[in-house]
Amino acid sequence: MSALQLTSPLAAPVYIGLMSGTSLDGVDGALAAFPDDYGGGPVQTLASAYVPFPDELRAEMLALQTAGENEIHREALLANILAGYYGRCVAELLAQAGLTPQQVAAIGVHGQTIRHRPELGFTRQTNNPALLAELSGIDVVADFRSRDIAAGGQGAPLVPAFHQAVFSAPDTIRVVANIGGISNISVLPPRDERDGGTMKVSGFDTGPGNVLMDAWIGKHLGQAYDRNGDWAAGGTVLPALLEILRSESFFNLPPPKSTGRDLFHLDWLLDQLAKAAFKDTPAHARDVQTTLAAFTATTLADAIARYAPGAATVHVCGGGACNHHLMRQLQDALDRCQAGISVDTTAALGMPPNHVESLAFAWLAQRFCLRRAGNLPAVTGARGERILGALYPA
Ligand SMILES: Nc1ncnc2c1ncn2[C@@H]1O[C@H](COP(=O)(O)OP(=O)(O)OP(=O)(O)O)[C@@H](O)[C@H]1O
Ligand SMILES: [Mg+2]
């Protein structure tokens, strides 16, 4: 590390973060410098890149979410292909920043979740970090979630600690909502209270983000997602269906809690439609999309109103921040809860919504390299703070 600092033309060690989430859309990468004594405050993205996954790759990732034939073999091959996409993203980041691999301290790579079963003591993020180290010539830190689960935690969400470092305000409670495939919130106490005050950072998965909306528009219109939420915006909420969706027992569980495609997937949605005696005709397909947007928005708003009373704003990141209809629905749902909370994106706090999660993994890589804890036990439910990740040296 110290040798790197000496050779780096930059003032502080540089880290890369790579995130590919539940949406299975592609890999988001970001490159940023973190001084060794970084304790919080603004982070400037020095480069960012997005490498979309092709349809065949997405289909195989989706297939591996459930039990199937010859899984181990297929998963290993998928991991190799993924490492190639991660490597491409890294090459693009280096080119943009004008850096050599030797000038980067480490890559933090999340991998692709194919199973998340903390209640059974495991989570699996498909990845071949050894191959990524070979392809990139950079130290790779991977498998961030397993250690937290080994310590009795959910292994998720891991980003609230980063959200607190970057986004907390001196004197007000802020909420950061990441709307990826799944939605999660971080409730950030005022910074000045962090050490002396009683309020701790909290955070948990609130339920679906885009995952069901993506699945539904994929089934009906063959599109990967509902651009800007335009399709949903033209439909009508189906109240009976919304009530059935919202009756899922996950929403009554107290935090800490996490979820994923293991629960919220297309077959689950089809089961709920059957319960609602819904006839899947093209004429009504759009109304289901509108209802799914309301489902994401209202479950998020309920969680915020309940667990972040007194918050002034919710700052949204992740792909859902681009869904204008969803953003409006979230504001409306919060207004109905009379929470007095206004909705904005993290751009208002100086960080583009699509950089936040990848930068969090760059920061988690730094935490690992400095042998500092990456989890917040109050968030994940782990027995204590743990150093997260495993190193694959360049
Ligand atoms: N312009 C847009 N309009 C509507 N939705 C969008 C737009 N751009 C992205 N999205 C949605 O965002 C999703 C991708 O979001 P994101 O990459 O944050 O999620 P993710 O990969 O599941 O990540 P994570 O697990 O880190 O939260 C897409 O699948 C899509 O549903
Ligand atoms: Mg994504």
Side-chain angles (χ1 to χ4, degrees):
M1 184 77 60
S2 52
L4 274 166
Q5 272 171 279
L6 289 176
T7 54
S8 171
L10 295 147
V14 167
Y15 294 85
I16 285 174
L18 300 177
M19 181 68 206
S20 52
T22 338
S23 300
L24 311 175
D25 57 314
V27 51
D28 285 298
L31 182 150
F34 287 98
D36 283 354
D37 60 356
Y38 177 75
V43 176
Q44 198 199 340
T45 315
L46 301 174
S48 68
Y50 175 67
V51 180
F53 295 142
D55 289 346
E56 317 83 74
L57 185 60
R58 190 175 306 154
E60 180 64 349
M61 290 190 294
L62 197 56
L64 280 166
Q65 309 274 329
T66 45
E69 206 170 316
N70 213 4
E71 287 175 300
I72 296 177
H73 178 85
R74 285 167 46 212
E75 195 255 359
L77 294 180
L78 174 71
N80 290 348
I81 295 170
L82 269 175
Y85 281 89
Y86 295 150
R88 240 186 262 172
C89 193
V90 169
E92 199 173 319
L93 292 167
L94 292 176
Q96 259 182 48
L99 294 177
T100 63
Q102 292 72 32
Q103 290 173 307
V104 178
I107 297 168
V109 58
H110 176 265
Q112 193 66 50
T113 300
I114 52 163
R115 303 291 158 86
H116 182 69
R117 302 296 299 274
E119 74 283 9
L120 299 179
F122 78 89
T123 184
R124 193 63 90 225
Q125 282 74 48
T126 292
N127 194 3
N128 186 342
L131 179 55
L132 181 57
E134 191 66 29
L135 292 171
S136 65
I138 300 172
D139 282 3
V140 173
V141 185
D143 189 20
F144 286 92
R145 300 192 189 273
S146 292
R147 184 60 195 272
D148 185 84
I149 291 184
Q154 291 282 312
L158 296 180
V159 288
F162 178 69
H163 291 164
Q164 170 74 11
V166 186
F167 296 126
S168 59
D171 45 13
T172 54
I173 301 171
R174 271 186 187 152
V175 177
V176 176
N178 171 43
I179 311 182
I182 296 297
S183 296
N184 59 273
I185 57 167
S186 301
V187 183
L188 312 176
R191 205 178 308 135
D192 297 345
E193 253 192 44
R194 186 173 38 181
D195 301 321
T198 49
M199 188 176 165
K200 285 202 162 91
V201 180
S202 63
F204 57 93
D205 288 350
T206 62
N210 297 295
V211 65
L212 298 174
M213 293 188 284
D214 287 356
W216 190 252
I217 198 169
K219 175 172 155 54
H220 282 273
L221 303 186
Q223 293 171 17
Y225 62 89
D226 183 8
R227 182 169 287 276
N228 306 328
D230 290 343
W231 195 43
T236 307
V237 172
L238 304 167
L241 176 60
L242 182 59
E243 202 177 309
I244 286 174
L245 296 171
R246 285 167 50 83
S247 69
E248 163 60 46
S249 59
F250 173 81
F251 299 107
N252 292 323
L253 292 175
K257 60 178 175 176
S258 60
T259 187
R261 278 184 186 272
D262 306 73
L263 173 58
F264 295 110
H265 48 73
L266 184 58
D267 286 341
W268 176 87
L269 173 59
L270 296 175
D271 286 348
Q272 311 313 305
L273 289 168
K275 277 188 214 163
F278 176 79
K279 299 252 179 317
D280 189 1
T281 61
H284 290 112
R286 181 179 252 208
D287 294 339
V288 173
Q289 189 76 5
T290 312
T291 308
L292 291 173
F295 181 38
T296 291
T298 57
T299 48
L300 244 175
D302 288 349
I304 293 168
R306 179 153 181 205
Y307 290 101
T313 48
V314 50
H315 291 277
V316 178
C317 61
C322 301
N323 185 325
H324 306 314
H325 173 72
L326 183 64
M327 292 288 280
R328 282 193 301 271
Q329 290 297 300
L330 177 59
Q331 182 69 72
D332 288 353
L334 283 167
D335 290 348
R336 280 196 299 274
C337 296
Q338 297 188 321
I341 300 177
S342 61
V343 177
D344 208 332
T345 74
T346 55
L349 302 177
M351 194 176 284
N354 57 335
H355 294 183
V356 177
E357 301 302 284
S358 44
L359 283 173
F361 281 86
W363 178 79
L364 282 167
Q366 188 218 27
R367 301 291 293 182
F368 174 90
C369 291
L370 299 177
R371 299 297 186 272
R372 291 186 189 143
N375 64 337
L376 292 175
V379 170
T380 63
R383 278 185 287 278
E385 293 190 340
R386 295 291 185 272
I387 297 163
L388 306 180
L391 177 66
Y392 293 75

